[in-house]
């Protein structure tokens, strides 16, 4: 369970990096950010700063959770969700 949790966490962190990169790349090319919180933060500060800060906020807390079936399930669902998000971002970037 312990190793599986940390592998999931590493995957989640990599997906956060991929989402951040594709989001920044897309917004620089004129795409709109779908997340209203991130879109607002990007208008209040530098877009890269907003993305990095939000990605840290949504990733770091998982490093302090106790590995369990429930935390693994949550991370697995989040990984699947962010994989779809990154693939969608890539599809949008290719169309631009």
């Amino acid at each position: 369970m312990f190793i599986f949790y940390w592998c999931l966490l590493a995957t989640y962190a990599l997906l956060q990096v991929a989402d951040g990169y594709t989001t920044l790349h897309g917004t620089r090319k004129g795409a709109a950010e779908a997340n209203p919180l991130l879109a607002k933060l990007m208008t209040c500060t530098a877009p890269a700063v907003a993305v990095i800060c939000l990605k840290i906020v949504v990733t770091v807390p998982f490093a302090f959770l106790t590995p369990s079936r429930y935390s693994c399930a949550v991370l697995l669902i989040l990984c699947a969700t962010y994989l779809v998000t990154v693939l969608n971002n890539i599809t949008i970037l290719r169309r631009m």
Side-chain angles (χ1 to χ4, degrees):
M1 179 76 63
F2 184 78
I3 293 172
F4 182 63
Y5 178 81
W6 288 103
C7 289
L8 278 175
L9 183 57
T11 302
Y12 178 64
L14 288 173
L15 285 167
Q16 289 297 323
V17 170
D19 180 43
Y21 176 78
T22 56
T23 296
L24 285 173
H25 193 60
T27 55
R28 287 183 183 141
K29 288 180 117 183
E33 172 55 43
N35 179 340
L37 173 63
L38 184 56
K40 181 66 174 171
L41 288 172
M42 290 172 85
T43 61
C44 296
T45 184
V49 171
V51 169
I52 291 168
C53 288
L54 188 62
K55 295 305 175 184
I56 289 170
V57 166
V58 299
T59 304
V60 170
F62 285 100
F64 298 100
L65 287 179
T66 303
S68 69
R69 287 183 297 158
Y70 303 109
S71 57
C72 285
V74 168
L75 272 177
L76 192 57
I77 291 167
L78 287 171
C79 283
T81 302
Y82 275 96
L83 177 60
V84 170
T85 301
V86 169
L87 292 175
N88 181 61
N89 288 353
I90 291 170
T91 300
I92 291 169
L93 284 168
R94 285 188 176 172
R95 291 180 183 165
M96 296 182 93

